[in-house]
Amino acid sequence: MPTDTPQPNFVLVRPQMGENIGAAARAMWNFGLDRMRIVAPRDGWPNQRAVAMASGAGRLLDEAVLTPDLPTALDDCAFTFATTARPRGLTKPVYTPEEAMKEAHARVQAGEKVAVMFGPERAGLENEDIAKANAIISVPVNPEFASLNLGQCVLLCAYEWRRAAHAATPMEYELAGTDWASAIEVEKLSEHYEDRLSDAGFFFPEEKADSMKTNLRNLWSRMPLTRADVQTLHGVLRQMVRWKERG
């Protein structure tokens, strides 16, 4: 059975190659989606090439809803997006994948059933198909080579759905078993370096010593130091002093 996670239905309209259906299933499951609907696949269903390409995502194909036509696939959906790379002369709102999946997420959270249509590999969705959609998703691709593989297009939309649904952090640190250094730890490190540099005659001439110390403290404060970093820097300085004393 599909998961209970609220999500859109990805509708493959008249897909031609089993391998691409399998690739679409893998792309969906990579990002936690498992509601696939397949409209009139060219090579019939089930399709062993799709199963082979799906690899660990074969469950999606087992549970996919097969329909003979597009109206049947969309009959319970309140809002539908159509993916297309070409202008179609139809008056509809046009979204990027990112904005479309934000809109899809808001609608799904409000209890609506949402569908995202993907066209056959050769030429994409027909105008008759797109006329049934409420909005268009257009990927900002190279206009000289605008054709996207079915699996690629599904992957893009599935990725953006995951970002919208899980509020992905744009950047984060992997602290690898340590933690950020506290202010007092950085202060003690700064004092350690100031003391040893003073002993070495670094703060010269005397009238510039205060500004040099301020610059050095500012350097430490700009660094995102971990406790492991602080311990390492203390150790480096101690070893350099020991080495000098042995000399």
Side-chain angles (χ1 to χ4, degrees), residues 74-135:
L74 302 178
D75 63 2
D76 62 342
C77 295
F79 196 92
T80 299
F81 293 96
T83 59
T84 180
R86 296 181 287 130
R88 298 305 188 112
L90 298 172
T91 301
K92 291 186 185 293
V94 179
Y95 293 79
T96 63
E98 178 181 11
E99 294 304 316
M101 292 302 98
K102 287 180 182 177
E103 177 72 15
H105 182 253
R107 289 179 176 275
V108 167
Q109 290 299 108
E112 292 185 34
K113 280 199 173 183
V114 174
V116 184
M117 293 194 292
F118 302 88
E121 297 90 320
R122 184 181 61 82
L125 294 166
E126 301 291 340
N127 274 16
E128 182 181 350
D129 303 320
I130 296 172
K132 295 178 174 62
N134 302 99

Side-chain angles (χ1 to χ4, degrees), residues 169 171-180 224 226 228-229:
T169 305
M171 187 277 288
E172 59 184 11
Y173 278 94
E174 174 56 61
L175 290 173
T178 186
D179 204 347
W180 295 116
T226 66
D229 295 332

Side-chain angles (χ1 to χ4, degrees), residues 181-182 185-186 189 225-235:
S182 67
E185 289 168 329
V186 176
L189 178 68
L225 294 169
T226 66
R227 287 179 170 173
D229 295 332
V230 168
Q231 292 167 0
T232 298
L233 290 167
H234 277 301

Side-chain angles (χ1 to χ4, degrees), residues 227-243:
R227 287 179 170 173
D229 295 332
V230 168
Q231 292 167 0
T232 298
L233 290 167
H234 277 301
V236 167
L237 190 54
R238 291 190 189 102
Q239 187 59 31
M240 291 178 69
V241 171
R242 292 191 191 106
W243 174 80

